[in-house]
Amino acid sequence: MPSTELGERDSRGSLGTVRNAVTLLELLGEGPAYQQLTDLAERSGMSVPTVHRLLRSLVLADLVEQDPRSSRYSLGPELVRLSHRYLARLPILGALAPFLSQLRDLVRSTIVVQTLVRSAVVTVDRVDGPDAGLYREPHTVPQALTTATGRLLGARASDDEWKAILESCSEQQRAVAEASRDQWAAASWLVVEGQPFGPPGHVAVPLVDGQRSALGALVATVPPGASREEIEAVAGHLIRAGTAAVRTLGHA
């Protein structure tokens, strides 16, 4: 067999191995914190020996950890270190840093910076306001179209990315999103309002650079029952801070 053909086969095999490992990491990020080997094999469509081999490699890299008592698997601590390294390299976070505490004091609510990762919204920075209460919100990764951030950034994404987001949501959400994409893509801010005795709502503004690329969203919590005028005032503060932060990137 020619060496070039062998190299192409090895390349395809390596790519398949990486893709399978990523699939396992995604599955471990869903459902219970610790999961059984056989369940992961069934959900992934891979054989038990293949899943076991991949998990052993991921455990050695600390990307996955195994509970010594139950032998079940979970995401590993190395992912936290890598995520912090990634966040440290995001210019928009450094540009926003001087504004977050000022915004929190100005609007008297929690301020967060969020980004869209595939079909989910991830919080990458946060300054708690007086509305935070005694307990911090848990680390959650909401489905994109349930949030103001996801609607703003998803609508501005490529058609392929938008399609993937639609495939991850319910039929009712999909119908609303398809009808609203142009409106969301043009919006300078959006709000998803909270419910009485439930979690607060959020108003978000997109952070868009000079090339019209969406870098993320600046978000503030709004209490249930907030008036339209109050929400618009908060959105105005977010827009001004976001515009100033993005402008600093252009001068960097």
Side-chain angles (χ1 to χ4, degrees):
M1 179 181 299
S3 59
T4 55
E5 182 179 349
L6 179 60
E8 290 175 358
R9 175 174 295 183
D10 289 342
S11 176
R12 290 195 296 270
S14 299
L15 181 59
T17 298
V18 171
R19 186 183 299 113
N20 290 339
V22 170
T23 296
L24 292 178
L25 290 174
E26 290 177 341
L27 292 175
L28 287 169
E30 304 168 355
Y34 286 87
Q35 302 183 38
Q36 291 181 339
L37 170 65
T38 52
D39 289 341
L40 289 168
E42 181 179 354
R43 292 166 62 201
S44 67
M46 291 181 268
S47 69
V48 170
T50 296
V51 172
H52 184 248
R53 175 175 54 81
L54 289 170
L55 288 173
R56 285 181 61 188
S57 297
L58 292 170
V59 167
L60 290 174
D62 284 334
L63 295 170
V64 169
E65 64 180 11
Q66 185 178 23
D67 183 4
R69 292 171 296 181
S70 67
S71 296
R72 297 188 179 195
Y73 296 89
S74 180
L75 295 176
E78 179 66 9
L79 293 169
V80 178
R81 187 184 72 85
L82 291 175
S83 68
H84 280 280
R85 292 291 297 272
Y86 171 75
L87 294 177
R89 299 180 181 183
L90 288 182
I92 189 61
L93 290 186
L96 284 169
F99 298 96
L100 299 186
S101 294
Q102 298 175 28
L103 271 175
R104 183 265 318 275
D105 297 338
L106 186 62
V107 303
R108 296 189 57 78
S109 68
T110 297
I111 304 296
V112 299
V113 184
Q114 294 180 327
T115 188
L116 181 65
V117 180
R118 296 190 179 183
S119 60
V121 168
V122 178
T123 296
V124 295
D125 205 351
R126 177 189 181 100
V127 179
D128 282 329
D131 60 333
L134 296 176
Y135 303 100
R136 293 284 303 272
E137 290 184 21
H139 293 284
T140 58
V141 184
Q143 197 277 334
L145 297 184
T146 64
T147 69
T149 292
R151 295 173 185 179
L152 284 170
L153 302 186
R156 288 169 165 81
S158 69
D159 289 342
D160 286 342
E161 292 169 323
W162 177 248
K163 181 180 178 180
I165 292 171
L166 293 179
E167 290 174 350
S168 70
C169 62
S170 67
E171 290 186 10
Q172 182 178 4
Q173 289 175 327
R174 189 178 304 120
V176 172
E178 289 175 333
S180 305
R181 184 183 184 184
D182 290 343
Q183 175 189 349
W184 292 346
S188 58
W189 61 274
L190 281 179
V191 62
V192 173
E193 300 188 45
Q195 300 295 326
F197 310 109
H202 295 85
V203 57
V205 305
L207 302 166
V208 181
D209 65 14
Q211 287 71 47
R212 308 304 299 168
S213 296
L215 307 175
L218 190 56
V219 187
T221 56
V222 292
S227 68
R228 192 70 177 179
E229 291 76 14
E230 291 172 325
I231 294 173
E232 288 178 349
V234 172
H237 290 306
L238 295 176
I239 290 171
R240 286 187 285 274
T243 301
V246 172
R247 188 179 298 123
T248 66
L249 295 178
H251 298 310

